[in-house]
Amino acid sequence: EVQLVESGGGLVQAGGSLRLSCATSGFTFDAYEIGWFRQAPGKEREAVSCINSADDRPYYGDSVKGRFTISSDSAKNTVYLEMNSLKPEDTGVYYCAVDAPFCIPSKVAHWGQGTQVTVSS
């Protein structure tokens, strides 16, 4: 059974930083694209960043390029999202996902339960 457990969300002031973690189990970690998505109230879920160990070329959404960094630790089966220079518009529920081809939300096979990130102005 695939399990994804996110942690690290919280309340932060604009300009601050947070690091999200997603501990995974139940699948071959390096075999799938893994990523982070987010959903703000009243908006559709959007891709934030995805990583595939096969090509080592992370995808980043335009709104987070240069501010967010995705990384993974295959020894710990964990993927991270380092978020810097946070903005109020980064507020939302952040979801970890596995088997996320092309980092497209509608194609994701497995979702975590989500962690809330709130950025105050």
Side-chain angles (χ1 to χ4, degrees):
E1 179 187 4
V2 174
Q3 291 192 332
L4 309 170
V5 180
E6 302 101 330
S7 61
L11 174 64
V12 63
Q13 288 189 333
S17 298
L18 282 174
R19 187 193 196 204
L20 305 183
S21 299
C22 176
T24 76
S25 62
F27 64 99
T28 303
F29 186 77
D30 291 334
Y32 297 94
E33 189 149 5
I34 299 175
W36 292 93
F37 298 75
R38 69 186 181 189
Q39 188 164 19
K43 294 188 176 181
E44 293 186 353
R45 195 167 298 188
E46 64 173 350
V48 174
S49 181
C50 292
I51 190 168
N52 184 326
S53 62
D55 61 21
D56 197 29
R57 290 180 295 175
Y59 164 86
Y60 292 100
D62 289 341
S63 63
V64 306
K65 285 179 181 176
R67 300 188 297 121
F68 290 12
T69 303
I70 191 171
S71 61
S72 64
D73 185 339
S74 58
K76 297 182 178 180
N77 288 349
T78 300
V79 62
Y80 305 95
L81 185 69
E82 185 75 35
M83 305 186 294
N84 298 314
S85 302
L86 282 161
K87 304 175 181 180
E89 51 263 43
D90 294 317
T91 294
V93 179
Y94 283 68
Y95 297 91
C96 178
V98 66
D99 195 0
F102 308 108
C103 214
I104 297 174
S106 62
K107 296 185 178 296
V108 169
H110 303 280
W111 295 99
Q113 83 286 354
T115 186
Q116 177 70 44
V117 171
T118 303
V119 184
S120 63
S121 57

